[in-house]
Amino acid sequence: MTQVDEPRRIPLEHPDGSTSPLLLVESPRRPSDRPAVLVLPGIAVGARYYLPLARALADEGVDVAITELRGQGESTHRVGRGGAAAGYHESAAQDIPLALDAMERQFGDRPVVLLGHSMGAQLGVYHLARADRRVVGLVAVAAQSPYHRGYPREMGRRLRLGATLMPLIGRVSGHVPGSFFGATGRVPVDRVRDWARLARSGVMQPARADLDYPAALARVTVPAMAVVIADDHLAPEGAAATLLAMLPSARTTLEHEPRAIGHNSWARHPDEVVAHVLAWMDREGL
């Protein structure tokens, strides 16, 4: 039976003083013998959007946590002029570890699989570079590297143009409207600048980095899987393959979901994706 209870909420305080909730959906099976899953949202998507996904995984024996990206959902991060940095490095080096610390307090010393949606998967890849012992795998759903060469020509041209214009808009306004990404709200300019750098060059080296991310990614060996959803022009096979190629030493898998369940809406009706995740975990011995 699908769970209907509200998730437990763990307050997180970020280094910039902002706060956000970590949502916990625990499996009714005790003890669970599978890794826990940390869901990393897509751009401008709040954590609560992924509750159907979390509940479906919990029904299959997986404990799940869903975090907020700074400036999204219930995050109190100030988006705009005067706000602290909120780029890819801050997510990988500060925010994901903060969520993992809270999971460790709640679930004990359990392995964790990162499940990233769209831009959330890019942030998950960045975190793999940091060799976190707790993370044993990555699932990227409807995800991509925005590097323009991974897309059909017309979409690649639009990405190159956006990678030039959006940082300029952000410089003037202090943020970028989410509508540029097919979303709502405002996106922190630091996140957009890192996205633009990746879209132009394909190089995973964000601003303010404290390590050589490309070199560290070359050493990652934990397994990773990308699930490409049919008719998803925002995350086509070529772009998903480009994301996985950033992990040259890892065992990677690219799977296709033949049903057109949407770039975002799959998370509201997640049965197909949950089946992919569980089968991959079983194959990887997780």
Side-chain angles (χ1 to χ4, degrees):
M1 178 184 296
T2 302
Q3 298 176 1
V4 295
D5 294 339
E6 277 293 293
R8 284 204 293 141
R9 298 166 60 90
I10 306 297
L12 303 180
E13 183 170 345
H14 301 269
D16 66 354
S18 66
T19 61
S20 65
L22 183 72
L23 306 183
L24 299 183
V25 178
E26 297 174 70
S27 172
R29 304 180 187 180
R30 282 287 176 262
S32 175
D33 58 358
R34 290 188 181 275
V37 165
L38 174 60
V39 177
L40 307 175
I43 194 165
V45 183
R48 291 188 64 86
Y49 188 83
Y50 299 91
L51 284 173
L53 167 67
R55 289 169 177 147
L57 284 167
D59 284 344
E60 297 295 334
V62 179
D63 292 328
V64 182
I66 315 167
T67 195
E68 294 275 27
L69 301 187
R70 288 195 219 184
Q72 299 186 180
E74 298 178 67
S75 165
T76 65
H77 173 81
R78 179 179 176 180
V79 179
R81 295 193 180 281
Y88 280 34
H89 171 66
E90 285 72 30
S91 290
Q94 299 173 3
D95 299 342
I96 294 176
L98 192 65
L100 290 168
D101 290 345
M103 291 177 72
E104 193 167 10
R105 290 192 295 271
Q106 298 300 316
F107 299 146
D109 188 18
R110 296 266 303 282
V112 176
V113 168
L114 303 179
L115 193 162
H117 169 217
S118 196
M119 182 179 282
Q122 297 164 29
L123 302 178
V125 169
Y126 272 68
H127 184 70
L128 292 183
R130 307 194 69 82
D132 193 320
R133 61 166 182 80
R134 298 169 291 192
V135 177
V136 296
L138 169 76
V139 175
V141 183
Q144 69 291 79
S145 163
Y147 184 41
H148 65 90
R149 294 191 184 278
Y151 285 81
R153 179 172 296 181
E154 178 57 26
M155 186 63 173
R157 186 189 67 81
R158 291 169 59 189
L159 285 168
R160 291 197 306 273
L161 180 62
T164 299
L165 291 180
M166 283 192 278
L168 294 176
I169 292 170
R171 183 183 301 172
V172 173
S173 63
H175 71 276
V176 174
S179 57
F180 279 93
F181 294 93
T184 59
R186 302 189 301 171
V187 182
V189 66
D190 301 292
R191 194 171 298 153
V192 172
R193 286 173 180 149
D194 289 334
W195 173 89
R197 184 179 297 109
L198 186 53
R200 288 192 303 267
S201 68
V203 176
M204 296 282 271
Q205 185 64 9
R208 298 170 301 281
D210 60 353
L211 57 78
D212 184 334
Y213 276 89
L217 287 171
R219 297 189 292 269
V220 171
T221 58
V222 301
M225 174 180 69
V227 180
V228 177
I229 293 173
D231 298 332
D232 183 2
H233 71 280
L234 295 176
E237 179 179 348
T242 303
L243 183 69
L244 292 179
M246 294 172 180
L247 303 169
S249 299
R251 184 169 54 255
T252 60
T253 305
L254 193 151
E255 296 192 5
H256 295 84
E257 170 47 53
R259 293 189 59 194
I261 53 179
H263 181 71
N264 289 337
S265 57
W266 66 268
R268 307 297 292 177
H269 306 281
D271 289 351
E272 291 85 357
V273 167
V274 167
H276 283 284
V277 172
L278 296 177
W280 173 78
M281 283 185 175
D282 289 342
R283 290 195 305 270
E284 294 292 343
L286 300 176

